[in-house]
Amino acid sequence: HHVPTLRLLLTAYAELGKIDEGKAIMAQLRAEAPELTVSSYVSMGSNESPLRQRIAHAMRQLGLPET
């Protein structure tokens, strides 16, 4: 799996209100990157990026731990 693609896919599902589908993708992402948290994701790049903020919001919606 390609982790950036999984992040975008879970964001799309969350924004479409398809929470169950988003959670399934989140489970795949967690299997690929078990150390991932919202804060570790945000710290990978600019906190000012609108796309990074959208993805972080989706991750929170789908239950990824903040820290």
Side-chain angles (χ1 to χ4, degrees):
H1 297 105
H2 190 244
V3 170
T5 302
L6 293 174
R7 288 193 304 251
L8 289 176
L9 188 55
L10 72 83
T11 301
Y13 279 135
E15 290 182 354
L16 290 170
K18 296 185 174 196
I19 301 304
D20 290 338
E21 292 90 336
K23 286 183 177 183
I25 299 300
M26 178 63 77
Q28 290 180 29
L29 179 62
R30 298 290 309 269
E32 295 287 327
E35 73 288 349
L36 183 67
T37 63
V38 175
S39 61
S40 70
Y41 169 71
V42 170
S43 72
M44 289 179 195
S46 170
N47 194 31
E48 301 300 317
S49 165
L51 179 58
R52 186 168 299 278
Q53 290 306 312
R54 283 174 63 190
I55 294 171
H57 179 73
M59 290 174 162
R60 287 182 187 101
Q61 275 186 292
L62 298 173
L64 186 67
E66 193 69 35
T67 58

